[in-house]
Amino acid sequence: MAQNKVDINLLREIADLEGTPKGAYNIRKNGKLESRGRTENIDIVTKDDPEKPGIDIYIKDGTRNQSVHIPVIITETGLDELVYNDFHIGADCDVVIVAGCGIHNSGTEKSEHDGVHTFYVGENSKVQYVEKHYGEGEGTGERVMNPQTVVYLEKNSSITLDTTQLRGVDSTKRYTKIVVKEGAEAIITEKLLTHDKQKATSEMDVILAGPGASSRVISRSVAQDDSEQIFYPRMIGDDAGFGHVQCDSILMGEAKIQSIPAIIANHPDAQLVHEAAIGRIAGDQLLKLMTLGLTAEEAEEEILNGFLR
């Protein structure tokens, strides 16, 4: 798997990779398969539908303590792609899936990656899904990413979604939908930082569709300079279950943030809670760190790192 310095840096940023991943993996570069690895329990197959390019990932029943890496990198200016990746996860599994997209744009044209990831999680299975988005490059062309994540959780299964976008993405529109069946659990943690004139929209529907279903949504974001963010998390209780939505944001410069959480109860035993807070960094927090010897800029950076950790 030959890689140059740009590729190596992108893969490190989005998937913490140093060299070839252990276990099953699929690395996509500039719209094409770069390299792939399979295991006895995890198979990765290229879709044969030309109108829906992407891959199918099949994880056998009972697969435990294994991982799948499916990063995407783009280094060509002007590339625009849409891929469909479907995850078929059997029963009684415990796996980690690491995705993410990195764009290095050194040109003047827009580079864009749009991905639709659909998860079918079998009964009693546990999935951890980690997704990072990152942009870089000295060009004036935009770096755009629009991910969609759809999850269907069967009885007593669970998924933990950890999504992060901290630097270099000019525009993003994210949509997440999770259907949580009987006894299943979904935990979603979203971390976002925008700067300059970047724009980010995150829309989410979490549907508690069976008795005992539960979900927690934790969104933490920082908007700097003239950037703009909009959040639309919706928790929908169609059965007796528990849902909690928490959105916390820090404003800096002339940035703008809208946080519009919604809780919708369609069942008398649905228990739903939402919280939202937007504000600037408190002056006493800065002062406390500055008394320890940090400059104002260093204190601010330390607070932001802790908030987005």
Side-chain angles (χ1 to χ4, degrees):
M1 185 173 61
Q3 296 174 355
N4 56 40
K5 291 183 178 180
V6 170
D7 295 353
I8 291 171
N9 184 64
L10 288 176
L11 290 172
R12 183 187 299 118
E13 288 286 348
I14 65 173
D16 297 320
L17 286 178
E18 299 284 352
T20 302
K22 295 181 180 180
Y25 70 92
N26 188 94
I27 298 178
R28 183 181 179 91
K29 177 182 177 182
N30 293 330
K32 299 179 181 179
L33 173 65
E34 178 77 0
S35 61
R36 176 179 293 169
R38 302 177 175 88
T39 67
E40 182 179 349
N41 286 351
I42 303 175
D43 193 17
I44 302 176
V45 180
T46 300
K47 290 183 180 294
D48 57 11
D49 185 349
E51 296 185 359
K52 294 184 68 175
I55 55 177
D56 285 291
I57 298 95
Y58 297 94
I59 301 177
K60 292 182 179 179
D61 292 352
T63 300
R64 293 181 173 273
N65 302 317
Q66 295 194 34
S67 64
V68 185
H69 287 77
I70 57 161
V72 173
I73 59 176
I74 294 177
T75 59
E76 291 182 2
T77 189
L79 182 65
D80 188 344
E81 67 169 355
L82 169 62
V83 297
Y84 298 83
N85 297 332
D86 293 344
F87 300 82
H88 308 269
I89 300 158
D92 302 305
C93 294
D94 189 343
V95 295
V96 176
I97 299 170
V98 181
C101 178
I103 296 179
H104 180 100
N105 192 348
S106 297
T108 59
E109 298 180 71
K110 179 182 69 173
S111 295
E112 179 173 343
H113 173 77
D114 299 341
V116 181
H117 288 185
T118 305
F119 295 78
Y120 304 92
V121 183
E123 291 189 5
N124 303 307
S125 284
K126 180 180 179 181
V127 177
Q128 180 183 359
Y129 178 64
V130 181
E131 180 183 81
K132 295 181 180 180
H133 287 168
Y134 170 74
E136 64 176 27
E138 64 277 11
T140 58
E142 288 185 301
R143 299 172 292 266
V144 178
M145 303 181 194
N146 298 315
Q148 293 186 38
T149 304
V150 181
V151 181
Y152 299 97
L153 291 174
E154 295 298 330
K155 183 178 179 180
N156 296 328
S157 63
S158 69
I159 191 166
T160 300
L161 296 181
D162 189 347
T163 63
T164 304
Q165 178 180 303
L166 296 184
R167 285 290 173 189
V169 180
D170 295 295
S171 174
T172 186
K173 292 183 179 179
R174 173 184 297 276
Y175 177 69
T176 304
K177 176 183 177 181
I178 304 181
V179 180
V180 189
K181 294 188 178 179
E182 179 182 352
E185 180 183 45
I187 300 174
I188 306 101
T189 301
E190 184 177 71
K191 290 168 283 186
L192 174 67
L193 184 148
T194 55
H195 54 92
D196 297 331
K197 295 184 180 297
Q198 295 174 352
K199 295 184 179 181
T201 300
S202 178
E203 188 173 359
M204 190 178 302
D205 288 305
V206 181
I207 303 167
L208 305 178
S214 65
S215 180
R216 285 184 288 155
V217 175
I218 303 168
S219 174
R220 291 185 175 178
S221 75
V222 176
Q224 299 175 324
D225 306 319
D226 294 304
S227 64
E228 297 181 15
Q229 300 178 9
I230 305 176
F231 296 92
Y232 297 101
R234 294 179 290 269
M235 185 73 66
I236 304 166
D238 284 345
D239 211 317
F242 176 79
H244 184 201
V245 179
Q246 179 181 340
C247 302
D248 294 318
S249 301
I250 292 177
L251 269 174
M252 303 176 69
E254 300 301 319
K256 299 178 181 178
I257 296 177
Q258 295 184 53
S259 184
I260 313 169
I263 51 176
I264 303 167
N266 297 321
H267 190 282
D269 292 322
Q271 301 179 54
L272 308 176
V273 179
H274 79 69
E275 304 172 63
I278 301 173
R280 295 187 179 274
I281 296 176
D284 58 343
Q285 292 178 302
L286 289 172
L287 183 60
K288 183 177 180 179
L289 289 175
M290 290 171 68
T291 60
L292 299 176
L294 299 182
T295 66
E297 292 77 13
E298 290 171 339
E300 187 177 90
E301 190 68 21
E302 190 69 21
I303 291 170
L304 295 183
N305 288 337
F307 181 73
L308 293 171
R309 185 174 299 164

